[in-house]
């Protein structure tokens, strides 16, 4: 019989012959015999019993008492993990450093997350700047296929203009189409690019459309309006004439970071020697302060506020 099958007809073995109960491992009696888990000459001592509660996630994250049947819990650095809690996820750590990262094409789910982060950072500290890191092809793919609406970028830009914090933008990797427009919309003097980033201006696009002539004309008019909006924004952010910008964005145009500085899309190329300071947080101290604040105060051995 193969190891992966249960023999339900086999008589149960005496309790003293088994080293471990069957339900702990989900094995039949014969499977345990094949694997050498029965008492014989090679296994003279009884193995430790495995309990179900020792396999729960809390035993690994919270740091319960470590025994011979539990794995030693792994802790992160002191300033990134509060005791008794799971490690914070990386997007939360970036958000805590006031970094809003756009690392995907601008589809509705990405826009919703970015706008939510911007609104939260505005609520948390409206007097501190927000750093928008961009690595996106915009509402298009690299092949020019539309994957989202042009309003995804304008929704993000309207929110950036609505909130109080200043917006610092930085392109890492690539900023294509309306992602380059978001890059250029940052505060003047605080728009950056890494040395090997790629920036491309491209006209708004719609995927191939079918249907009546009236519907095609409606979509064509909407595409023309989106193009005019794109030109207006890029002209305002770069300081160039609208006719020049419209000619430039009529086809895909790639910029090196140095060319983007000359065109007015960004202000500076970040070099490895430039210091980038991110505010560090003492999570351990914050947790201790929160626990001390929530701890009931006692007076004369009686909890404060308790009924006598």
């Amino acid at each position: 019989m193969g190891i992966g099958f249960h023999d339900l007809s086999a008589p149960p073995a005496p309790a003293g012959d088994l080293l471990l109960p069957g339900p702990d491992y989900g094995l039949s009696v014969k499977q345990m015999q094949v694997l050498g888990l029965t008492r014989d000459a090679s296994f003279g001592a009884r193995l430790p019993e495995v309990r179900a509660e020792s396999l729960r996630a809390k035993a690994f994250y919270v740091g319960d008492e470590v025994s011979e049947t539990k794995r030693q819990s792994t802790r992160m650095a002191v300033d990134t993990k509060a005791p008794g809690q799971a490690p914070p996820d990386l997007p939360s750590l970036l958000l805590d450093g006031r970094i809003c990262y756009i690392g995907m094409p601008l589809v509705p789910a990405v826009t919703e997350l970015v706008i939510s982060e911007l609104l939260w950072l505005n609520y948390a500290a409206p007097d501190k700047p927000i750093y928008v890191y961009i690595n996106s092809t915009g509402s298009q793919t690299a092949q020019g296929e539309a994957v989202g609406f042009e309003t995804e970028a304008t929704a993000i830009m309207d929110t950036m203009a609505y909130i109080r914090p200043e917006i610092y933008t930085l392109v890492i990797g690539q900023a294509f189409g309306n992602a380059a427009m978001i890059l250029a919309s940052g505060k003047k003097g605080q728009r950056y690019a890494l040395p090997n980033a790629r920036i491309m201006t491209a006209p708004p696009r719609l995927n191939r459309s079918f249907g009546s002539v009236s519907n095609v004309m409606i979509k064509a008019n909407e595409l023309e309006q989106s193009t005019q909006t794109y030109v207006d924004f890029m002209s305002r952010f770069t300081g160039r004439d609208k006719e020049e910008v419209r000619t430039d964005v009529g086809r895909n145009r790639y910029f090196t970071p140095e060319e983007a500085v000359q065109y007015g899309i960004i202000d500076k190329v970040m070099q490895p020697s430039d210091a980038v300071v991110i505010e560090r947080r003492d999570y351990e101290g914050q947790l201790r302060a929160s626990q001390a604040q929530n701890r009931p105060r006692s007076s004369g051995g009686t909890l404060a506020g308790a009924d006598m």
Side-chain angles (χ1 to χ4, degrees), residues 84-306:
Q85 295 182 1
D89 56 289
L90 291 179
S92 298
L93 291 177
L94 291 177
L95 187 63
D96 196 47
R98 302 189 65 80
I99 296 176
C100 180
Y101 178 60
I102 305 176
M104 295 181 61
L106 298 181
V107 296
V110 175
T111 304
E112 177 186 3
L113 178 60
V114 172
I115 292 178
S116 301
E117 291 178 345
L118 293 174
L119 294 176
W120 164 251
L121 293 175
N122 175 66
Y123 169 79
D127 56 336
K128 295 183 178 180
I130 298 175
Y131 306 90
V132 178
Y133 287 18
I134 301 172
N135 182 21
S136 173
T137 58
S139 299
Q140 312 173 20
T141 63
Q143 293 75 27
E145 180 183 359
V147 295
F149 298 103
E150 295 298 320
T151 51
E152 307 298 339
T154 55
I156 294 175
M157 292 172 50
D158 289 342
T159 306
M160 292 165 58
Y162 167 75
I163 60 179
R164 292 178 55 187
E166 298 177 342
I167 305 296
Y168 297 177
T169 55
L170 171 68
V171 55
I172 51 176
Q174 58 191 358
F176 292 172
N178 48 21
M181 182 173 62
I182 296 177
L183 170 66
S185 66
K187 181 185 177 182
K188 288 293 183 65
Q190 304 294 341
R191 302 172 301 177
Y192 304 101
L194 294 184
N196 297 309
R198 302 171 61 201
I199 302 172
M200 181 189 74
T201 57
R205 291 185 174 91
L206 292 176
N207 293 331
R208 182 176 298 180
S209 176
F210 299 94
S212 63
V213 176
S214 300
N215 292 336
V216 173
M217 288 298 299
I218 291 174
K219 291 188 176 182
N221 293 335
E222 178 63 23
L223 181 61
E224 173 62 23
Q225 182 63 36
S226 299
T227 303
Q228 187 60 44
T229 302
Y230 185 77
V231 170
D232 292 342
F233 276 122
M234 292 300 293
S235 175
R236 183 198 310 174
F237 299 145
T238 60
R240 295 182 174 266
D241 185 72
K242 291 184 180 180
E243 294 300 327
E244 179 184 0
V245 173
R246 189 175 185 89
T247 302
D248 293 337
V249 304
R251 300 179 64 181
N252 295 353
R253 178 175 178 179
Y254 291 86
F255 296 85
T256 64
E258 292 76 14
E259 293 173 346
V261 172
Q262 297 177 1
Y263 198 83
I265 299 177
I266 61 175
D267 302 302
K268 183 180 178 182
V269 181
M270 296 291 292
Q271 300 297 332
S273 59
D274 296 332
V276 179
V277 179
I278 298 178
E279 182 180 356
R280 296 178 64 85
R281 299 294 184 91
D282 183 10
Y283 294 100
E284 296 281 354
Q286 292 178 7
L287 180 65
R288 288 193 296 267
S290 177
Q291 291 176 344
Q293 184 178 2
N294 297 331
R295 187 180 298 114
R297 298 180 180 179
S298 59
S299 177
T302 305
L303 290 177

Side-chain angles (χ1 to χ4, degrees), residues 3-75:
I3 297 179
F5 296 90
H6 293 266
D7 186 6
L8 302 179
S9 62
D17 294 336
L18 293 179
L19 294 176
L20 292 173
D24 287 342
Y25 281 89
L27 304 175
S28 67
V29 175
K30 286 194 173 182
Q31 289 173 349
M32 297 179 70
Q33 292 175 350
V34 171
L35 296 176
L37 298 179
T38 56
R39 184 177 299 278
D40 53 21
S42 61
F43 290 84
R46 184 179 181 84
L47 296 177
E49 182 180 358
V50 177
R51 296 175 299 172
E53 59 268 18
S54 67
L55 303 177
R56 66 191 191 280
K58 183 179 179 182
F60 302 136
Y61 282 118
V62 181
D64 290 349
E65 179 183 359
V66 178
S67 65
E68 56 186 359
T69 60
K70 293 181 181 179
R71 185 173 57 189
Q72 175 67 40
S73 61
T74 303
R75 290 190 175 276

